[in-house]
């Protein structure tokens, strides 16, 4: 199935008035735990909070009357930055927008089955609404002050990731909540599949020849394994780089990118597999920028055009060495010191900062000129 009003568009059609309006995200608290456990033998509900960066209620004349709302959704899978969830929840939503666009003479983009959660093969059976479509909240301080209550009754046990959803057609957007929610029915680890999350911040980078440490948390049966994979961002052909027993509830895997791939961007993945061969895959929130090794003859910035945005140590050959993680690995408390909890309490793992720690880009090489990572770089060209 697919629908669009563009195919019948006349010369008088135009783009929506809010097309250039930045979509207002859901803002998550800084102290969201890496691992939250809902033990349904004690309680099946989770209450959580969110915030907004500013109020956003002034609609453009051709905007849907229900536009600029927040909603909350849970996914039974994690995803790579290269394969985000579709931005339409249902065909009801999509058709409402397409009909409205036709009425307002807006040139709407084509919407196909893969663009809609309920018909996307990866997500159709892997998401639930925490708040209903008819419960979308205006983006106001008063609404953001109200807690969100999620009733997990009837959900399959296992790992669930929460996302905030901004409904503002046609450029709806997701705001990924840090961490993971492990829904279990009792204290027996075998009663639920594994759960895991990574806590590395956005905008991470590493120089070729150095190591980058993936950090996070996991809950799984004793005897489970943790396996790391990497892939070039434009191919997603996964290659294993580490596999070891899961120690407690801590993930710490060092990835050393092959020097020959620099400068480029890689996707990373960590799989937790238990003795029953149940696997959960988790990913960092952004791609890892692999920079060419620094060259002191060029001030520490490689001839390929790689650079670090705002890096005061550019040209300092002692800025990092050995197997220590380069800038971008998160810091904070040791996840092994946390303890599992029930309801709205949580096990806390390393910090979940979302501010870019740095950035790299290049002016040439595979993938074309001026490729940027997901943070703001390359003279203001964002990825």
């Amino acid at each position: 199935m697919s629908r669009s009003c563009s195919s019948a568009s006349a010369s008088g059609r135009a783009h929506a008035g809010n097309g250039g309006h930045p979509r207002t995200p859901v803002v998550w608290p800084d102290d969201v735990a890496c691992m939250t456990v809902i033990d349904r033998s004690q309680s099946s509900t989770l209450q959580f909070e969110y915030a907004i960066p500013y109020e956003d209620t002034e609609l453009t004349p051709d905007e849907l009357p229900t536009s600029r709302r927040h909603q909350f959704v849970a996914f039974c899978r994690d995803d790579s930055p290269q394969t985000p969830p579709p931005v339409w929840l249902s065909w009801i939503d999509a058709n409402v927008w397409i009909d409205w666009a036709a009425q307002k003479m807006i040139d709407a983009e084509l919407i196909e089955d893969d663009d809609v959660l309920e018909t996307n093969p990866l997500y159709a059976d892997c998401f639930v609404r925490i708040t209903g479509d008819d419960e979308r909240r205006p983006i106001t301080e008063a609404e953001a002050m109200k807690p969100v209550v999620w009733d997990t009754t009837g959900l399959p046990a296992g790992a669930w990731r929460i996302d905030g959803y901004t409904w503002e057609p046609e450029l709806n957007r997701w705001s990924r909540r840090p961490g993971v929610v492990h829904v279990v029915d009792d204290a027996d680890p075998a009663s639920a599949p594994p759960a895991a999350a990574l806590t590395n911040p956005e905008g991470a980078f590493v120089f070729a020849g150095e190591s980058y440490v993936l950090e996070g948390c996991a809950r799984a049966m004793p005897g489970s394994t943790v396996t790391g994979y990497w892939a070039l961002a434009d191919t997603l052909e996964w290659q294993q780089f580490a596999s070891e027993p899961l120690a407690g509830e801590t993930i710490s895997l060092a990835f050393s990118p092959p020097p020959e791939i620099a400068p480029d961007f890689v996707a990373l993945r960590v799989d937790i597999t238990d003795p029953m061969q149940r696997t959960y895959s988790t990913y960092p929130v952004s791609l890892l920028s692999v920079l060419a090794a620094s060259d002191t003859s060029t001030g520490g910035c490689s001839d390929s055009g790689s650079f670090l945005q705002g890096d005061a140590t550019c040209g300092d050959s002692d800025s990092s060495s050995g197997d220590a993680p380069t800038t971008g690995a998160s810091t904070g408390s040791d996840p092994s010191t946390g303890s599992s909890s029930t309801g709205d309490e949580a096990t806390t793992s390393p910090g979940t900062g979302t501010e870019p720690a740095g950035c790299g880009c290049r002016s040439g090489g595979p993938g074309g000129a001026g490729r940027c990572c997901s943070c703001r770089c390359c003279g203001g060209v964002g990825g």
Side-chain angles (χ1 to χ4, degrees):
M1 179 178 179
S2 64
R3 276 204 68 193
S4 171
C5 64
S6 350
S7 58
S9 64
S11 58
R13 291 193 184 274
H15 295 295
N18 66 330
H21 173 255
R23 271 42 181 176
T24 304
V26 169
V27 177
W28 298 108
D30 292 335
D31 59 352
V32 173
C34 181
M35 181 70 65
T36 300
V37 180
I38 302 177
D39 184 344
R40 290 187 291 203
S41 66
Q42 301 180 39
S43 174
S44 63
T45 61
L46 172 69
Q47 179 174 297
F48 59 88
E49 299 176 347
Y50 75 101
I52 59 174
Y54 42 77
E55 295 202 342
D56 186 7
T57 59
E58 296 183 11
L59 308 186
T60 56
D62 60 358
E63 202 167 340
L64 268 174
T66 60
S67 183
R68 307 201 191 189
R69 299 286 195 275
H70 281 157
Q71 188 176 0
F72 302 92
V73 175
F75 295 98
C76 72
R77 68 189 303 272
D78 201 2
D79 49 66
S80 163
Q82 298 298 82
T83 56
V87 296
W88 297 97
L89 268 65
S90 69
W91 272 106
I92 292 177
D93 281 350
N95 287 328
V96 165
W97 162 246
I98 291 170
D99 292 343
W100 176 266
Q103 177 186 337
K104 295 294 183 179
M105 300 295 289
I106 296 170
D107 190 9
E109 294 291 331
L110 177 68
I111 302 175
E112 300 184 296
D113 282 341
D114 283 354
D115 302 318
V116 181
L117 278 176
E118 67 181 13
T119 51
N120 182 288
L122 286 179
Y123 291 95
D125 299 320
C126 197
F127 81 99
V128 294
R129 293 167 173 82
I130 296 174
T131 52
D133 298 352
D134 59 350
E135 299 176 305
R136 289 172 178 156
R137 301 182 175 193
I139 305 176
T140 64
E141 293 289 352
E143 289 295 324
M145 290 290 290
K146 301 175 183 177
V148 180
V149 179
W150 180 24
D151 186 354
T152 65
T153 302
L155 284 185
W160 291 87
R161 195 193 81 208
I162 296 174
D163 278 42
Y165 180 65
T166 302
W167 165 250
E168 187 182 339
E170 59 189 324
L171 301 177
N172 310 309
R173 65 159 291 171
W174 294 104
S175 303
R176 172 174 171 164
R177 185 177 187 262
V180 66
V181 177
H182 201 197
V183 178
V184 302
D185 291 315
D186 56 53
D188 181 3
S191 68
L198 296 173
T199 56
N200 300 76
E202 286 189 73
F205 63 88
V206 65
F207 285 101
E210 297 178 351
S211 294
Y212 178 77
V213 178
L214 287 167
E215 296 181 325
C217 58
R219 292 185 83 245
M221 295 173 60
S224 297
T225 59
V226 52
T227 306
Y229 297 88
W230 73 276
L232 291 175
D234 54 359
T235 67
L236 284 188
E237 296 177 356
W238 297 105
Q239 302 179 56
Q240 181 178 314
F241 68 84
S243 185
E244 59 189 44
L246 176 65
E249 296 188 355
T250 301
I251 295 174
S252 182
L253 283 182
F255 167 63
S256 298
E260 63 270 15
I261 71 171
D264 213 327
F265 297 91
V266 299
L268 296 169
R269 182 182 107 210
V270 172
D271 287 3
I272 305 296
T273 303
D274 69 15
M276 298 173 64
Q277 298 306 302
R278 299 175 297 185
T279 297
Y280 184 78
S281 301
T282 186
Y283 307 80
V285 294
S286 64
L287 300 175
L288 176 67
S289 176
V290 180
L291 305 178
S294 59
D295 181 351
T296 56
S297 67
T298 59
C301 300
S302 72
D303 292 335
S304 67
S306 298
F307 71 99
L308 303 183
Q309 184 182 39
D311 182 11
T313 65
C314 190
D316 182 357
S317 61
D318 294 328
S319 60
S320 61
S321 61
D323 291 333
T326 62
T327 306
S330 65
T331 59
S333 61
D334 185 338
S336 64
T337 62
S339 59
S340 297
S341 65
T342 304
D344 57 355
E345 297 178 358
T347 299
T348 302
S349 281
T352 54
T354 57
E355 288 300 314
C359 181
C361 69
R362 63 183 184 190
S363 58
R371 283 181 64 193
C372 294
C373 59
S374 60
C375 60
R376 295 176 294 276
C377 65
C378 296
V381 180

